[in-house]
Amino acid sequence: MHDHDSNLRHTFSGRKIDPPTVFPNMTVPDLIKFYGSTGYNARRLAEAAEILQDMINTKSTICMTLAGAMTPIGMGMAISEMIEAGFIDWIVATGANVYHDLHFAYGLPVKQGHFDVDDDVLYAKQIVRIYDVYIKELETLQAQDLLVQKDIQERSSEIPPNASTADIAYILGKAAKENAKYPEKSFLVKAYEHKVPVYMPAIGDSSIGLNMLPLLFEGRGIFPNTILDVAESAAILWKSKKSGGLELGGGVPKNFFQQTGPALYQILKIKEGGQDYLIQLTDARPDTGGLSGATLQEGKSWGKIKTSHRGNVIVYGDSSVYFPLLCSYVLSVCKPRKQKEIYAKKDRWVDEMKKIYFANKNTSKNNYKENKL
């Protein structure tokens, strides 16, 4: 690992830049080594690869956050490979990424399109566009809607009455595993198989949430408690000796994952520190004050990360370019890990955390009474 001590940063002691060379048939590890010999975002990407490798080798609990439309362009299989290798232990995603991931499991049409088009014409042809990706309104979206509604309604007995969004995702992954034509093409199915919880804290801001509207009106189905998401995610950090995250984009998934530190320290007052490692791939700027672009170092002031001086890096650019390179790198240089199967443990962890919270609260009350006396 590079030494990020703030004193060393202000000395002329860095690695000498000796122009590297490219050569035919470079492997991804070769390319990452090349990047590490240079500067700018190439060097940042190499640093991210180092940090991710260290996360894996130190048996850290690793969260992947998923913002932006990554699954419609086919990134789900890359996520699946990381889950299969034991390199992703839990996921925080937009509901949209879960919803679009399921298209591929069920064989619903998604095609490459064009970005420079007349969207009025596309609308008339019932083609929905995500930049240069085309999705069919009836054959894909509305067909998927019926499947989501059917799965949540018919499997409501398998969902806890007080459910987190991870419980909803687990059922959708299970249904796709059992019924979809191509379950191997879905990261949600892979997460179900290895008991990797997938949280959708902004579930109402997605087609998964939209599909719960008819169920709500008709009194069918189970509806998630997103505050339970907060409790479960905090419990994961509480139970982790070392913890870190790979953030694709920003948005709600980024902050939801990072707020586990303040949840434990500021609110529950049972653990201090936050995450040991943070990697973010983003094109957002920090100077506008938005969370998506907020530097990872800034998170130290909130208790989201243990130190601002090491173990964190932002790579500026497109996740669709950088993420596959990081995946290929760690799959090349790291040994597979045994899956932590957090989904099977999360409820017990929350119950344990709840008992400690009340024990601490009662102790504080008694101390307050003694001081008053």
Side-chain angles (χ1 to χ4, degrees):
M1 296 292 293
H2 294 303
D3 195 330
H4 290 264
D5 183 89
S6 59
N7 292 324
L8 287 177
R9 288 187 176 191
H10 298 88
T11 66
F12 196 69
S13 59
R15 176 179 174 181
K16 179 184 177 182
I17 293 181
D18 190 11
T21 185
V22 295
F23 51 88
N25 305 313
M26 291 177 74
T27 65
V28 170
D30 290 335
L31 190 60
I32 293 297
K33 183 178 179 181
F34 175 94
Y35 287 156
S37 302
T38 62
Y40 314 139
N41 280 291
R43 181 177 159 200
R44 284 173 177 259
L45 183 61
E47 188 174 344
E50 273 191 10
I51 292 172
L52 185 56
Q53 182 180 356
D54 199 48
M55 268 195 264
I56 293 166
N57 291 341
T58 56
K59 300 181 181 179
S60 301
T61 301
I62 301 174
C63 177
M64 187 192 72
T65 74
L66 191 58
M70 296 296 286
T71 58
I73 63 171
M75 288 291 166
M77 288 288 285
I79 299 169
S80 291
E81 290 297 329
M82 294 286 280
I83 293 172
E84 184 68 35
F87 298 164
I88 294 175
D89 301 304
W90 62 295
I91 294 172
V92 183
T94 60
N97 273 303
V98 171
Y99 176 78
H100 293 303
D101 172 73
L102 290 169
H103 303 336
F104 301 97
Y106 288 99
L108 305 178
V110 179
K111 293 189 176 183
Q112 291 181 335
H114 302 274
F115 68 90
D116 186 13
V117 292
D118 187 333
D119 287 283
D120 283 359
V121 174
L122 291 184
Y123 180 79
K125 294 183 176 182
Q126 297 187 320
I127 297 173
V128 175
R129 180 170 73 93
I130 305 174
Y131 190 62
D132 61 354
V133 174
Y134 287 176
I135 301 173
K136 292 291 285 183
E137 170 68 36
L138 296 178
E139 294 93 327
T140 308
L141 298 186
Q142 294 196 26
Q144 188 71 72
D145 293 340
L146 295 176
L147 289 166
V148 170
Q149 292 175 34
K150 175 176 175 288
D151 291 337
I152 293 175
Q153 178 192 358
E154 292 186 353
R155 296 170 184 264
S156 59
S157 62
E158 301 176 49
I159 305 172
N162 187 26
S164 68
T165 60
D167 295 319
I168 300 298
Y170 187 79
I171 285 298
L172 293 175
K174 181 180 181 182
K177 166 76 173 177
E178 295 173 357
N179 301 322
K181 189 175 181 180
Y182 308 105
E184 71 280 0
K185 294 185 179 182
S186 165
F187 89 81
L188 197 64
V189 170
K190 187 65 69 174
Y192 161 75
E193 291 175 343
H194 292 297
K195 296 181 174 59
V196 172
V198 179
Y199 293 95
M200 304 171 282
I203 191 170
D205 185 28
S206 73
S207 290
I208 302 290
L210 293 178
N211 276 299
M212 291 185 168
L213 184 55
L215 303 182
L216 176 68
F217 283 176
E218 297 168 20
R220 302 179 286 136
I222 298 291
F223 305 99
N225 175 358
T226 56
I227 305 306
L228 188 56
D229 287 13
V230 176
E232 292 178 5
S233 60
I236 293 171
L237 175 58
W238 175 59
K239 280 291 188 177
S240 300
K241 291 182 180 179
K242 277 199 166 187
S243 182
L246 172 58
E247 301 171 350
L248 308 190
V252 169
K254 173 187 177 180
N255 189 68
F256 182 84
F257 161 63
Q258 290 191 18
Q259 74 177 10
T260 51
L264 292 176
Y265 173 62
Q266 176 187 338
I267 306 300
L268 298 181
K269 298 175 174 61
I270 65 174
K271 183 179 181 180
E272 183 179 359
Q275 305 295 330
D276 295 277
Y277 305 95
L278 288 177
I279 299 166
Q280 185 185 9
L281 313 179
T282 185
D283 60 1
R285 290 165 41 189
D287 58 305
T288 59
L291 186 280
S292 292
T295 64
L296 303 178
Q297 292 89 347
E298 181 181 313
K300 172 58 185 176
S301 66
W302 293 87
K304 294 177 178 179
I305 187 171
K306 284 187 178 175
T307 176
S308 63
H309 294 309
R310 61 184 177 275
N312 67 85
V313 67
I314 293 179
V315 188
Y316 288 100
D318 191 335
S319 295
S320 69
V321 176
Y322 293 147
F323 176 58
L325 289 172
L326 289 178
C327 291
S328 181
Y329 177 78
V330 293
L331 289 167
S332 299
V333 302
C334 297
K335 293 180 180 179
R337 309 191 307 180
K338 182 180 179 181
Q339 284 84 7
K340 297 181 187 291
E341 298 188 339
I342 290 174
Y343 183 83
K345 304 170 185 176
K346 66 181 181 64
D347 294 343
R348 183 176 77 251
W349 290 354
V350 170
D351 287 340
E352 291 176 13
M353 190 172 67
K354 184 176 178 181
K355 289 176 183 177
I356 290 177
Y357 166 73
F358 278 114
N360 290 346
K361 188 174 183 181
N362 290 334
T363 300
S364 297
K365 281 183 179 179
N366 292 334
N367 290 339
Y368 176 74
K369 289 178 181 178
E370 290 174 5
N371 289 335
K372 288 204 71 173
L373 290 174

